[in-house]
Every structure is written in C-alpha cells, then in structure tokens.
Amino acid sequence: MHIPNQFVKQLKSLCLLAKNAETGFEKAAVFSATELFVKNFLERNAYNEWVNHRIQGIKFHINAALGYESANGYHSHSHANWALSEIDELLTYSGDHYNQILVIHEESY
C-alpha cells in the first residue's frame, strides 16, 4: 500500500497555493486548509514515523511560506519549494518502501 495519490495531489496543490498567496485572506485560507487537511489525514491513517515526520515537515514549510511559522530567515518561496521537494521525497519513499510505511495495529483480546 502507498500513500494515496489524492492526498499527495491535494497537498501539492496547497503548496502551490501557499507559494502564490498574496493577501492575508488567501494566506489564512491556505493555512487553515493545510492544518485541517493534514490533521484529518493523519488521524485516519497509521503510517510509520518517517512518513508522519515528512508530512509534518511539509505542513511546516507550507505554514512558514505563509508566515504562520518562523521562516528562520529564509524567503517564503524557499519554504514552498522545500515543501514541494519533500512531497517528491515522500512519493519516492512510498513507492520504494510500500510494505513498510503502514503501522499495523494488532488487536488484543
């Protein structure tokens, strides 16, 4: 199993929206959508620590590009580009390690 393509496409779309957001309203809308989208996805899916960390990293970079996280002195477009790079890394990992990304919960009786 791999990370759903629809999730990755939407996350990439949010990255591009963050990169092009200009008004406070646009930035707030992309920030809110990103926070909720990632939270809901991670609550419904159990992935290994590396995948969860990557997804949280992507969210951080999107939020930094929007000004809702510290940019640590870097330009907002740099954070948007890093988010896009992390999405590519996530896709590569997902394809190469498809049998290792899910966390299987064993039920105890």
Side-chain angles (χ1 to χ4, degrees):
M1 169 135 191
H2 62 283
I3 298 167
N5 285 338
Q6 186 62 27
F7 171 76
V8 175
K9 286 179 185 178
Q10 293 295 343
L11 198 56
K12 191 170 190 173
S13 176
L14 287 167
C15 290
L16 296 172
L17 288 169
K19 193 172 186 175
N20 295 310
E22 294 180 7
T23 69
F25 179 80
E26 290 172 335
K27 291 177 181 184
V30 175
F31 169 77
S32 296
T34 301
E35 287 291 312
L36 187 59
F37 184 63
V38 169
K39 178 182 176 282
N40 287 341
F41 180 78
L42 291 177
E43 284 178 356
R44 291 189 318 261
N45 299 281
Y47 291 104
N48 70 29
E49 186 176 333
W50 189 93
V51 172
N52 289 337
H53 184 72
R54 276 300 138 270
I55 292 170
Q56 292 294 341
I58 293 164
K59 182 181 81 159
F60 168 82
H61 286 303
I62 291 171
N63 292 342
L66 296 166
Y68 285 92
E69 290 282 356
S70 172
N72 297 322
Y74 295 98
H75 192 274
S76 62
H77 281 133
S78 294
H79 280 283
N81 289 333
W82 291 330
L84 291 168
S85 292
E86 286 204 30
I87 286 175
D88 290 340
E89 188 177 343
L90 185 63
L91 283 171
T92 299
Y93 180 85
S94 174
D96 293 346
H97 300 91
Y98 66 91
N99 60 340
Q100 300 171 1
I101 65 171
L102 290 178
V103 175
I104 298 172
H105 297 284
E106 293 184 23
E107 293 184 38
S108 57
Y109 294 95

